[in-house]
Amino acid sequence: MESALEKGSQYKLKWLIIDLSAIPIIDTMVADQLFKVITGLQLLGIKVVISGIRPEIAQTMVSLGIKIEEIRSFSSLHQAVQYTNSFTGFLI
């Protein structure tokens, strides 16, 4: 968390995409830490987008009561990149 906040500030990020497509499973501790990092980044003014949430992870997150209403999510990294680029005027 400390590194993410430090680097986000150092690089003056406006957006950060967190891609979870390589994550096979998520538990309570990992989910909690992930959303603490996201909250910290948002407090620094960095908009966070999540991509690649697999059905199994979505089901686990719902059963754990994790709500991501304030966080935009996409099924693929490509969709997330298109979304963030639409705010910068630079499209891939």
Side-chain angles (χ1 to χ4, degrees), residues 3-89:
S3 177
L5 297 176
E6 184 180 310
K7 295 295 182 184
S9 180
Q10 177 185 348
Y11 295 134
K12 297 179 177 38
L13 297 180
K14 294 183 188 215
W15 290 91
L16 180 68
I17 299 171
I18 299 176
D19 183 54
L20 301 175
S21 59
I23 308 296
I25 193 162
I26 193 167
D27 63 16
T28 310
M29 187 175 79
V30 172
D32 181 57
Q33 190 62 32
L34 176 64
F35 288 98
K36 284 181 180 175
V37 170
I38 291 170
T39 301
L41 290 166
Q42 290 174 330
L43 287 171
L44 294 176
I46 299 169
K47 296 172 188 78
V48 179
V49 175
I50 296 178
S51 67
I53 297 178
R54 298 173 184 234
E56 307 84 35
I57 294 177
Q59 186 173 0
T60 301
M61 291 171 75
V62 169
S63 68
L64 293 173
I66 297 169
K67 298 181 193 243
I68 61 166
E69 292 142 0
E70 304 89 33
I71 304 167
R72 186 82 175 164
S73 64
F74 296 90
S75 59
S76 73
L77 180 57
H78 179 73
Q79 291 171 330
V81 170
Q82 282 187 318
Y83 175 78
T84 58
N85 282 342
S86 71
F87 291 97
T88 62

